Amino acid sequence: MSMGHYSEQTPGFEVTKDWNGADQVVIRSPRGASVRVSLHGGQVISWRSERGEELLFTSSKAIFKPPKPMRGGIPICFPQFGNCGTLEQHGFARNRLWTIDDEAPPLNHTDNNCKASVDLLLKPSEDDLKCWPHCFEFRLRVSLSMDGDLSLVSRVRNVNGKPFSFSFAYHTYLSVSDISEVRIEGLETLDYLDNLSQRERFTEQGDAITFESEVDRVYVGSPSVIAVLDHEKKRTFIVRKEGLPDIVVWNPWDKKSKTMSDFGDEEYKQMLCVDAAAVERAITLKQGEEWTGKLELSAVASTNCSDHLGYPCS
C-alpha cells in the first residue's frame, strides 16, 4: 500500500498490476467512488460513482497492449493533439510509461485537503528527444474528492531548454445511455473549427448541441464550465476547466466506427468525447516556465431545473 498526499482522514491509493505488468493506481473515496489510473499513458481508465456505476466509456474492443493507447477513459494528448504536427496521432504521452512521483511539489492552497490523490511524472526518453527535442517535466495529479468528483491537474515545465510549443487535450470519453438523448449546454453561439471540413471556422447556431451524425469540432474560447445532459440516465456531467481555452466534441457515428478496429460498430451510441483542450493556439513555454491545465468532472442527478451551469439544483 503506497500513500499519496492528503490528510489523515482520507484514504490512500493502492497500486496493482494489469495483465501486461504495467502498474495501475486505484484511488477510493470513503463513500465508495473510485478512480483507476494506468501508468501506461498516465491514463484514467475508470471512474465509478458511489453506487459503483462506471462514468467513463471504454470500448469492448479496446486494445490493452502497449504501444497502442487504450480506446476509452481519459487519454492525455501531449505534446500534439490530433495529427496536425510531425508526431504520432495525439502525441506520445499516452503511449509512455509514467512513474509515481513521490516528491511532487504542492499545488496552490486552493486545492483542498479532503481529496485522495496520486501524482504521476513523465520525462522525455532519449527516443522522445529525437522526435521532439525539448526538455520537459510533465506532472499529473489525479484526485478524487469526498463527493466523488474527479480532477486532473497537469503541469508542464520547460526545464532547461529553448522555448517550445505544444497542444494538449484531456481526451475524455464520457459514458452515455444513448447519444441521441444527449445535449451539451454552454457552447451555444461559440465559434468552432470543423475537422470534418478542413478545420473551417463556423459559428454554433443551436441553443444546445445535440447529435444526429458524426461530429468532430474544436469549440474555441469556451467558458470554464459546460454541462453534458443525458436525458435517459437523468444524469448531467459538469465539466470545469482552467488553462484550457477549447472544448473538443467528438462522436464518430456509424460509418467511422466501422473503420476503427478497436471500436465496436454500434458503440458510438454509448459514448461522447468532450475534451478540455488547448488546440487552436499552441502553448509556448520559455526556459523555466510552467503551464497548468485543470479539469474537474462531476456527475450529478439531472433535474428539470433550467440552470445546469450554476450549482446543480437539489
Side-chain angles (χ1 to χ4, degrees):
M1 184 85 166
S2 163
M3 284 297 165
H5 304 268
Y6 30 74
S7 55
E8 297 289 28
Q9 71 270 24
T10 53
F13 58 77
E14 58 178 311
V15 181
T16 60
K17 290 220 181 291
D18 71 10
W19 41 94
N20 296 309
D23 282 343
Q24 292 185 353
V25 178
V26 184
I27 311 172
R28 297 180 203 284
S29 86
R31 296 178 191 156
S34 67
V35 169
R36 185 178 289 267
V37 192
S38 173
L39 266 57
H40 176 230
Q43 181 170 345
V44 172
I45 56 175
S46 170
W47 171 37
R48 289 183 180 271
S49 71
E50 293 170 7
R51 294 187 301 283
E53 191 179 11
E54 180 58 61
L55 300 167
L56 299 176
F57 167 87
T58 298
S59 172
S60 62
K61 299 202 166 171
I63 298 161
F64 292 92
K65 241 187 157 38
K68 273 291 261 196
M70 191 198 83
R71 173 79 64 190
I74 310 179
I76 301 279
C77 303
F78 171 88
Q80 174 183 302
F81 179 78
N83 52 14
C84 33
T86 56
L87 301 173
E88 61 201 90
Q89 166 96 354
H90 290 325
F92 51 72
R94 65 187 187 145
N95 291 327
R96 297 296 180 266
L97 270 179
W98 295 53
T99 55
I100 293 178
D101 183 8
D102 292 321
E103 293 163 20
L107 287 168
N108 60 27
H109 294 300
T110 56
D111 201 47
N112 61 11
N113 251 342
C114 58
K115 290 183 175 179
S117 61
V118 64
D119 288 287
L120 303 184
L121 177 63
L122 180 69
K123 293 181 179 179
S125 67
E126 287 187 11
D127 283 349
D128 294 337
L129 289 168
K130 282 180 196 142
C131 69
W132 200 67
H134 303 295
C135 289
F136 69 88
E137 285 178 354
F138 189 143
R139 288 189 158 81
L140 173 67
R141 176 168 296 180
V142 181
S143 307
L144 193 60
S145 77
M146 292 291 251
D147 293 336
D149 296 345
L150 169 61
S151 74
L152 288 86
V153 180
S154 288
R155 290 182 281 177
V156 176
R157 180 179 285 279
N158 180 344
V159 186
N160 59 358
K162 60 183 189 295
F164 63 76
S165 299
F166 62 92
S167 54
F168 178 91
Y170 293 113
H171 193 22
T172 307
Y173 286 80
L174 298 174
S175 173
V176 301
S177 55
D178 179 349
I179 188 63
S180 61
E181 298 285 327
V182 172
R183 76 176 196 268
I184 303 178
E185 292 184 357
L187 301 177
E188 46 285 349
T189 75
L190 292 187
D191 281 8
Y192 62 86
L193 310 176
D194 192 341
N195 288 320
L196 301 180
S197 51
Q198 287 76 51
R199 296 174 73 83
E200 193 180 339
R201 196 179 189 101
F202 296 94
T203 301
E204 178 58 52
Q205 304 296 333
D207 51 3
I209 296 166
T210 56
F211 299 89
E212 50 219 19
S213 58
E214 184 182 355
V215 173
D216 188 352
R217 298 174 179 175
V218 181
Y219 285 85
V220 298
S222 56
S224 59
V225 185
I226 67 159
V228 182
L229 288 74
D230 186 336
H231 300 291
E232 200 168 301
K233 275 221 169 91
K234 297 191 167 45
R235 178 171 71 203
T236 297
F237 290 104
I238 309 286
V239 179
R240 294 181 175 87
K241 62 188 178 63
E242 281 177 47
L244 295 158
D246 307 323
I247 287 274
V248 179
V249 178
W250 180 66
N251 184 293
W253 221 254
D254 54 346
K255 282 199 186 67
K256 181 89 179 274
S257 295
K258 292 184 172 71
T259 68
M260 298 192 292
S261 59
D262 60 347
F263 192 83
D265 289 358
E266 299 290 315
E267 286 187 322
Y268 71 92
K269 295 173 182 171
Q270 270 77 60
M271 57 73 67
L272 176 62
C273 282
V274 179
D275 308 353
V279 176
E280 187 197 19
R281 290 192 187 85
I283 292 151
T284 300
L285 294 179
K286 300 191 189 71
Q287 178 174 340
E289 284 186 335
E290 184 175 81
W291 165 84
T292 302
K294 297 183 183 180
L295 168 66
E296 185 181 68
L297 296 172
S298 316
V300 300
S302 301
T303 61
N304 294 330
C305 148
S306 59
D307 184 16
H308 283 279
L309 301 181
Y311 289 100
C313 306
S314 51

